Amino acid sequence: MEELIADPFRAARLVLRLRQEGVTDDAVLKAMETIDRGAFVEGEELKKLAFDDCVLPIPCGQTIPRPAVTGQLLQAMGLGPSRLARILMIGMGSGYTAALAGQLGSDVFAVERYDRLTEAARQRIVRLGLSNVAVRHGDGMLGWAERGPYDRILLTGQVDEVPDVLLSQLAKGGLLLAPMQREGRQQIARMNADRQTEWIGLSFPLPALAEGKSRIL
C-alpha cells in the first residue's frame, strides 16, 4: 500500500498555518495533518510543494486549492468527531479532498466529470486503501441518487445556482455546501433541502465547478 501519512514536522507547520487562517475544527486539522497532499499529485517537484501555501495543478486544467481553502470547505460541513455522515462530493479532482472527507464521515461518494481524473483518483484510492471512498465518472450536477440520501453534499467549486436534483438527495436534516458569489465576493452557501441558507466566509476564491455533460479527456 502506498504511503499516506504526512511528514510529521511539515504537517505540524501546516496545522499551525491552518489555525492562523481560521481552520480550527480539530477533526479537520487531524485529517489534514495525517494525509499527505503529495500523494495526490504527479511528479517529484509538485510533491515537494505539497505542504506549501499554494495551489497545485493537476491534469485537465484543474487544481488542488490552497490547504486553508480546502480546510475551510471541510470545516463548513460541521461534522465534528462522530464520523457518521454520508457525504456526496461534486468535483473530485485528484481525490485529495475526498480522502480528507473520508476521515470525517462514514462513507464518501465522489463524482467527477473528467474521465482522466476519475480513473487516476480511483487508482489512488485503491493504492492508499481508502475503503470508504467511492468514485464515479459523470455529471456531478445530477448527483448520485442511487447511493443517497446524504447527510452532506459538498460542491468543490463555484456555481451560479444549485439544482433541485442535488437538494432532493439530502437526508432529513442534511446540508448542501457550495461556493457562490454574494455581495461581490465568493462565500460558502450552506443550505438545507428547503434552500434556507447560511453564508460562511472564504479566505481565497475557488474556481468555477466544471458543469454540463461529462466528456472524456
Side-chain angles (χ1 to χ4, degrees), residues 79 84-86 148-153 166-176 191-194:
L79 294 177
L84 297 177
R86 289 168 54 82
Y150 305 99
D151 301 294
R152 296 292 187 273
I153 297 177
L166 285 182
L167 292 173
S168 71
Q169 294 173 36
L170 283 172
K172 183 178 181 180
L175 295 170
L176 179 146
M191 66 180 68
N192 64 18
D194 295 325

Side-chain angles (χ1 to χ4, degrees), residues 10-56:
R10 298 179 74 191
R13 289 194 303 173
L14 172 63
V15 167
L16 177 61
R17 186 166 65 246
L18 289 170
R19 287 190 181 278
Q20 292 170 342
E21 296 212 37
V23 181
T24 58
D25 184 296
D26 287 338
V28 173
L29 290 171
K30 182 178 179 181
M32 298 189 74
E33 184 179 24
T34 301
I35 293 181
D36 185 357
R37 195 165 68 139
F40 297 85
V41 293
E42 300 174 5
E44 291 304 314
E45 292 305 311
L46 288 180
K47 291 181 184 297
K48 292 177 183 177
L49 297 174
F51 290 93
D52 291 352
D53 188 27
C54 65
V55 172
L56 297 180

